[in-house]
Amino acid sequence: MFEGKNIGEKAVASQLKMLYTTKMPVHPAIRFTTQQARSVAGVSPEAWRHWRKNLSYFEAKKGKAAKFSMGEVVALCAVKDIVGHFGIRVTMLSASIDQIFQASAPMSLLLLQDCSFVLTPASGRVLKVDQITDLPCSAIVIRCEHFVDQILKATFQNSDEVHQKNLPFPPTAIMRGSS
């Protein structure tokens, strides 16, 4: 890069600083389609249709162009857990559920690993596990760790195993220039 030039140390330092501070294009985070998000969370098509009607957060997530972040999929898994294990209807906590979707949407799996969703009838928050102290008398606390593991397993389950089919014919070396 600096070959053949007699450049002083300050010039080299400024060139390196410019090189390291130049913003490189950032690849977008992994996004899930509606079908993929439903599949990872285990949400049936019927439940999905009902949730779309009753959760205002999903109003902007319609059609084939709808994409979900990792954080939104964690929230989706949590909602599925609340509905499936406790029998709570999404309409009862719709405002709280909308708030956890909004709060978790920009969050990464690494950040959510140590968090919990805290739902009350009036609000939904994402808190670090060690920050959960003064809860109201009625609150639902859902650890995100299990859902993060579930998403990682579903998303990257075969990434360490590379399977390649055997060639239908043996490889042969071809020399250049041979006729």
Side-chain angles (χ1 to χ4, degrees):
M1 179 173 178
F2 298 111
E3 292 177 31
K5 295 182 181 177
N6 189 4
I7 300 176
E9 288 180 26
K10 288 183 182 180
V12 171
S14 74
Q15 289 289 327
L16 288 174
K17 182 179 178 184
M18 186 182 75
L19 189 69
Y20 288 116
T21 58
T22 303
K23 295 202 181 224
M24 300 297 287
V26 178
H27 294 288
I30 295 174
R31 307 294 267 172
F32 294 88
T33 63
T34 302
Q35 174 63 33
Q36 291 168 332
R38 278 192 322 98
S39 175
V40 169
V43 177
S44 70
E46 296 80 22
W48 181 255
R49 280 192 292 277
H50 175 69
W51 293 1
R52 270 198 359 225
K53 289 178 188 174
N54 292 294
L55 296 174
S56 62
Y57 185 80
F58 292 131
E59 286 179 8
K61 304 267 185 186
K62 290 183 179 176
K64 298 202 183 271
K67 300 288 184 242
F68 293 85
S69 69
M70 291 280 197
E72 291 169 318
V73 177
V74 172
L76 191 63
C77 291
V79 171
K80 165 75 165 69
D81 202 49
I82 293 169
V83 171
H85 289 120
F86 298 107
I88 298 173
R89 291 185 226 127
V90 293
T91 54
M92 298 171 84
L93 293 172
S94 62
S96 305
I97 291 171
D98 285 340
Q99 289 175 8
I100 65 166
F101 272 104
Q102 290 170 353
S104 63
M107 299 175 81
S108 69
L109 289 182
L110 184 62
L111 199 62
L112 284 168
Q113 182 81 27
D114 296 324
C115 289
S116 292
F117 295 131
V118 179
L119 294 146
T120 64
S123 69
R125 297 181 292 167
V126 181
L127 297 174
K128 288 277 193 189
V129 174
D130 58 353
Q131 292 176 337
I132 301 173
T133 53
D134 297 326
L135 293 177
C137 59
S138 59
I140 300 171
V141 179
I142 305 159
R143 290 284 312 262
C144 296
E145 182 178 16
H146 169 71
F147 305 122
V148 169
D149 292 341
Q150 177 182 337
I151 292 167
L152 288 173
K153 284 178 186 168
T155 308
F156 303 110
Q157 65 184 352
N158 294 323
S159 64
D160 58 337
E161 299 175 13
V162 177
H163 299 286
Q164 182 177 351
K165 293 181 180 179
N166 291 332
L167 295 173
F169 49 86
T172 307
I174 301 175
M175 308 226 12
R176 189 174 228 181
S178 60
S179 321

